[in-house]
Amino acid sequence: MSAPSPIDQIAERVERLLVRHEEMRRTNALLVQQVDALTRERDALRARLTTARTRIDAMLERLPPEPAPDADASTPTSAAP
């Protein structure tokens, strides 16, 4: 069998490049889908975090104010037997 001609070698290489190009296009499309899904998930988590922070802030507002430090020192915490 004779060695392939330069044209045949180039044609084979072009074919391999086209196959590789198509693989890369499919991989890129999958990665774009992944990025989109992760972006949506991140946005949903951020929204949940904001909601949780708002609820916690509202709960903290409803708590009674802390007593002054001086009042704690003058009040006995336990009776000695």
Side-chain angles (χ1 to χ4, degrees), residues 1-6 8-9 12:
M1 205 166 164
S2 64
S5 71
D8 291 338
Q9 289 175 344
E12 182 181 332

Side-chain angles (χ1 to χ4, degrees), residues 5-24:
S5 71
I7 298 294
D8 291 338
Q9 289 175 344
I10 292 171
E12 182 181 332
R13 192 163 183 197
V14 167
E15 287 296 323
R16 284 185 290 167
L17 286 171
L18 288 172
V19 169
R20 182 71 177 142
H21 179 267
E22 187 55 36
E23 290 172 357
M24 297 295 280

Side-chain angles (χ1 to χ4, degrees), residues 5 13 17 21 23-24 31 37 41-42 47 54-55 61 66 68 72:
S5 71
R13 192 163 183 197
L17 286 171
H21 179 267
E23 290 172 357
M24 297 295 280
L31 289 171
E41 182 181 358
R42 181 205 61 201
T54 302
R55 290 176 65 194
E61 289 294 321
E66 291 185 30
D72 283 344

Side-chain angles (χ1 to χ4, degrees), residues 60-76:
L60 290 174
E61 289 294 321
R62 291 183 4 209
L63 288 175
E66 291 185 30
D70 294 333
D72 283 344
S74 64
T75 308

